[in-house]
Amino acid sequence: MNSTRNLPQMLLGQARDILLISLLALGAVCCLLLALGISPADIASTLATGAVGSWLKFNHVLTVWVPLLLCCCGLLFTFRAGLWNIGIEGQVILGAIGTTLLLRADSLGLPPSLLIGLALCAGFISGGLWGGFAGLLKNRGGVNEIFGGLGLNFVAQGFILWLILGPWKREGIASMSGTDLFARELWMYTPPGWRVAPASIVIAICAFLVTWYILSRTRFGLRVKAVGANPAAAPLYSIRPDRTGLAAMILGGGIAGIAGGLQVTCVYHRLLPPISSGYGYLALLVVMLANYKAGPVPIICLLFAALAAGSIQLPITLQLDSSLSGVIQGACVVAALLVYGWRKSRKGGA
Amino acid sequence: MDINLTALVAAIAVMSAPVVLAALGETITEKAGVVNLSLDGTILLAAMVSFVVAFETRSPVLGALAGAGTGAIVAAIVAAIGVQLGQSQVAVGFALTFLCRDLAYFLGSGHSRVEGPQFEPLPVPLLSELPLLGKAFFSHSILVYLSFIAIPLCAYLMYRTRWGLIIRSVGENPEAAWARGINPIMVRMAATIGGGAMVGLAGATYSLSVKPGWGHPQGCEGIGWIALALVIFGSWNPTRVVVGAYLFGLLQLMGIYFQDAFTTIPPQIFQVAPFPLMIFTLVIIHFSHGKKGVLARWVRMFSGKPPKAMGRPYRRN
């Protein structure tokens, strides 16, 4: 086990894993590009300039990083409890809806900053409820959290479309481009020359630190871990797996809901159908690549965000489809599963 | 409102053909105890490969074969990591869903929105002359007929042959199967790859027959998830899964036909309906367990249990 090995050895093992994964994934992608007659060096330089070529471009990376990191925090809870919370995409959407609901109630007469704060809380609650619903379906309804969550994603997608085309439609015309923009004072403060609200970065970092603290330093975190590691043994320590799992789902859904809320208040300033931008699904890939550990998550999020932001440049400079970033991300995760699996099977055989 | 029943049945048969193929393929895979979650990406990638191959070779048949091959290759990756190495099948399937989707868009962008070959309708001689039935069932392209034939074939394979018994035993209790001289890992890999080939064929059915052509979006996005839901909805029984697939086809068509008739029902309802229905069914089945009474018995009669060892990796000790 890990405790019998010393730290340098562990770090060396991890470094070897990272090297192996990136070699496998990038090697495969490079082979593919060379076969198509595209120079990988061109791609790399385009992606790099697209991600960090200017302050504005780096801002764009951060706007992806914030919701991605928040979704990952939510997933760390549910994965630790042994649950596959694929419904995170729906939880992001519901969080965005909850936040919008409160921001539209401008007749409350509250100061804008307080209203934004309350709206984000509403996002937390609505995302948490959606996650809790999937958890209840699993505990009480016998619906596996993967398929229940997936189903609720589709329901959430239908719900947001209905809201945008129905009750919350624009003055006069219903349009897929979203609801009306909020009043200026309800936008989260973004300094001139910035694209990302500094407060949202602070929220994401805080959420990550809190997640790390709860999972590794509190009794609740230990309980979640016990349920995830061995749900059959947990009751021996009077831990109820169903309740602990439900709590993890609610908490995870809530944090994902904040991601949705920030998309509404900081990025789009309105509700629109693709509000979740697939960040929930991308976060699942990030956490899988991190081998379900908290430590590497912020860095992987940053790399994935840089890929996503940098790939916008691909069609402009190289006339290539921007989905290449997804290919690289997916290849990394499949390579990681291969390497971790290989490592596990060797350990089991020895 | 006047709806021609024959045309409606024919349209359902076409719309549901790829869903039937994909759901049956996944049923075979899951019966062996493996969850191949990569369906949505596999269908898209296979659709792209089939169209490009058919376009370059001017042969839809080669295109369809390439599609089936693509599905088999993706499934082989799922099997290698999820069965051979014993990693989480859900994890590898999920990662492949997105890898395949983006790969399809990236590689296919050169063939976007171009005119290409497709399977022409091939009326069955004599049978297609039948009144009503001929137009509804016997005037389609070959891939649609394939989806018809696959239904009894799949049910027969699963419940009437030795192979079917082996597949089911590996999905229920791989340890016992091992004790009887069956290698669960080999059987699971074969079932995954075979099922994946059918899923690939579903993709070919889209790009070469149902929604001919390639583009971003192609129009078959989301179908993989529906097929996964249908397998559960049909409680892992090929015949019931297929009934679910045709119901889904009907639901899709209703969304198109009745949009004007029922303006109060938002069209989004029809698009997302299968999933809530699946959840609802699962909950009802769950609550009928251990209950007495006619209704509970009736529900149990029409429901089945998932393969006992589904998703659980088999380890030889």
Side-chain angles (χ1 to χ4, degrees):
Chain A
M1 285 313 291
N2 285 347
S3 52
T4 57
R5 280 204 278 161
N6 52 17
L7 191 69
Q9 228 176 347
M10 245 174 72
L11 285 179
L12 203 71
Q14 273 173 9
R16 204 174 46 185
D17 279 358
I18 294 170
L19 196 73
L20 213 61
I21 292 166
S22 29
L23 265 179
L24 261 175
L26 296 182
V29 174
C30 282
C31 287
L32 178 81
L33 290 174
L34 287 174
L36 292 170
I38 306 163
S39 150
D42 282 354
I43 299 276
S45 73
T46 309
L47 286 175
T49 43
V52 290
S54 71
W55 170 242
L56 269 186
K57 281 177 179 144
F58 184 64
N59 260 259
H60 191 83
V61 173
L62 288 178
T63 53
V64 180
W65 184 71
V66 167
L68 198 56
L69 182 58
L70 281 166
C71 289
C72 286
C73 291
L75 287 173
L76 283 172
F77 279 104
T78 47
F79 270 126
R80 195 58 60 90
L83 294 168
W84 241 91
N85 184 19
I86 208 170
I88 184 147
E89 194 74 16
Q91 291 146 21
V92 175
I93 294 175
L94 259 284
I97 290 175
T99 306
T100 310
L101 181 72
L102 228 71
L103 289 181
R104 288 176 68 87
D106 44 0
S107 57
L108 288 173
L110 292 168
S113 52
L114 186 63
L115 188 59
I116 292 177
L118 277 178
L120 285 178
C121 289
F124 180 85
I125 292 168
S126 51
L129 286 177
W130 204 246
F133 188 37
L136 268 184
L137 276 175
K138 183 190 170 72
N139 285 352
R140 296 288 167 82
V143 183
N144 179 294
E145 80 274 9
I146 297 172
F147 292 101
L150 206 55
L152 291 178
N153 285 351
F154 281 84
V155 175
Q157 196 62 54
F159 186 44
I160 196 173
L161 273 174
W162 174 72
L163 280 175
I164 289 170
L165 297 177
W168 289 355
K169 66 169 175 250
R170 254 180 212 185
E171 209 64 53
I173 39 137
S175 141
M176 289 292 277
S177 61
T179 59
D180 282 316
L181 286 174
F182 301 127
R184 272 268 172 188
E185 62 266 22
L186 291 179
W187 298 15
M188 209 177 248
Y189 174 69
T190 309
W194 287 51
R195 285 285 178 77
V196 55
S200 68
I201 299 176
V202 174
I203 290 174
I205 293 173
C206 287
F208 176 72
L209 292 177
V210 168
T211 303
W212 172 80
Y213 182 79
I214 291 180
L215 283 178
S216 62
R217 293 283 181 275
T218 65
R219 191 173 281 263
F220 174 72
L222 192 64
R223 252 189 249 153
V224 171
K225 198 174 168 183
V227 168
N230 194 342
L236 297 176
Y237 296 90
S238 36
I239 301 168
R240 290 189 53 174
D242 52 344
R243 283 202 187 162
T244 313
L246 186 63
M249 286 295 277
I250 292 175
L251 209 56
I255 301 175
I258 295 181
L262 287 176
Q263 289 295 95
V264 170
T265 50
C266 307
V267 183
Y268 295 110
H269 312 297
R270 63 178 193 274
L271 194 65
L272 65 170
I275 191 81
S276 62
S277 313
Y279 291 146
Y281 291 139
L282 194 59
L284 278 162
L285 295 183
V286 171
V287 179
M288 272 153 58
L289 187 54
N291 205 10
Y292 313 106
K293 292 192 181 77
V297 159
I299 302 158
I300 298 176
C301 280
L302 194 64
L303 286 175
F304 271 34
L307 272 173
S311 68
I312 298 171
Q313 211 64 30
L314 285 175
I316 304 165
T317 46
L318 297 174
Q319 282 80 46
L320 288 173
D321 202 90
S322 61
S323 47
L324 181 64
S325 66
V327 176
I328 300 174
Q329 290 160 347
C332 285
V333 176
V334 174
L337 288 168
L338 199 67
V339 169
Y340 297 146
W342 175 70
R343 177 67 43 92
K344 211 162 64 180
S345 70
R346 255 184 35 147
K347 216 191 266 173
Chain B
M1 196 165 158
D2 175 48
I3 298 170
N4 183 342
L5 192 66
T6 315
L8 184 70
V9 172
I12 291 175
V14 173
M15 283 280 250
S16 305
V19 188
V20 167
L21 285 171
L24 282 179
E26 180 68 13
T27 307
I28 296 175
T29 306
E30 289 192 12
K31 275 281 184 197
V34 182
V35 184
N36 180 357
L37 208 68
S38 74
L39 253 58
D40 205 46
T42 307
I43 290 178
L44 207 57
L45 186 63
M48 188 279 292
V49 170
S50 322
F51 180 73
V52 171
V53 168
F55 181 85
E56 297 297 340
T57 61
R58 296 271 133 208
S59 158
V61 177
L62 279 180
L65 286 177
T70 309
I73 290 171
V74 178
I77 301 177
V78 173
I81 299 179
V83 178
Q84 193 80 44
L85 291 180
Q87 284 281 67
S88 157
Q89 293 160 7
V90 174
V92 61
F94 185 81
L96 280 172
T97 306
F98 287 86
L99 177 59
C100 291
R101 185 197 65 187
D102 286 320
L103 205 57
Y105 289 142
F106 181 68
L107 296 178
S109 59
H111 290 81
S112 199
R113 310 268 172 251
V114 292
E115 199 73 36
Q118 66 183 72
F119 281 104
E120 300 300 333
L122 204 75
V124 181
L126 294 178
L127 286 176
S128 61
E129 311 285 314
L130 287 174
L132 298 177
L133 289 179
K135 273 267 178 302
F137 295 111
F138 300 109
S139 312
H140 298 301
S141 74
I142 189 149
L143 286 172
V144 178
Y145 297 137
L146 206 62
S147 76
F148 294 158
I149 300 166
I151 304 164
L153 217 60
C154 210
Y156 182 80
L157 169 83
M158 211 41 89
Y159 295 107
R160 292 277 181 279
T161 65
R162 198 178 143 68
W163 282 14
L165 190 66
I166 290 175
I167 290 177
R168 282 184 293 144
S169 73
V170 162
E172 293 292 337
N173 192 340
E175 289 80 12
W178 171 253
R180 299 277 311 205
I182 298 164
N183 184 348
I185 290 184
M186 289 316 280
V187 175
R188 284 184 166 185
M189 298 210 27
T192 310
I193 292 171
M198 284 180 75
V199 175
L201 218 48
T205 310
Y206 271 113
S207 65
L208 296 176
S209 177
V210 177
K211 288 173 180 167
W214 174 253
H216 185 175
Q218 200 273 340
C220 62
E221 286 85 354
I223 291 296
W225 299 119
I226 301 282
L228 277 162
L230 286 172
V231 177
I232 305 174
F233 180 83
S235 51
W236 295 272
N237 177 316
T239 327
R240 275 182 231 147
V241 168
V242 168
V243 171
Y246 284 117
L247 277 177
F248 170 68
L250 177 70
L251 216 58
Q252 264 188 319
L253 279 176
M254 272 166 61
I256 300 167
Y257 275 124
F258 296 152
Q259 217 158 339
D260 317 315
F262 302 105
T263 40
T264 45
I265 305 176
Q268 295 88 31
I269 296 293
F270 291 105
Q271 286 161 22
V272 301
F275 265 100
L277 278 178
M278 175 206 67
I279 294 176
F280 189 64
T281 320
L282 285 180
V283 171
I284 287 187
I285 291 171
H286 181 78
F287 280 113
S288 77
H289 281 309
K291 293 254 165 65
K292 287 190 179 127
V294 185
L295 207 65
R297 232 182 12 230
W298 195 76
V299 169
R300 271 203 298 279
M301 216 164 76
F302 285 95
S303 68
K305 285 192 180 132
K308 267 220 179 64
M310 195 171 79
R312 182 160 61 81
Y314 171 75
R315 273 181 201 298
R316 226 169 303 166
N317 344 310

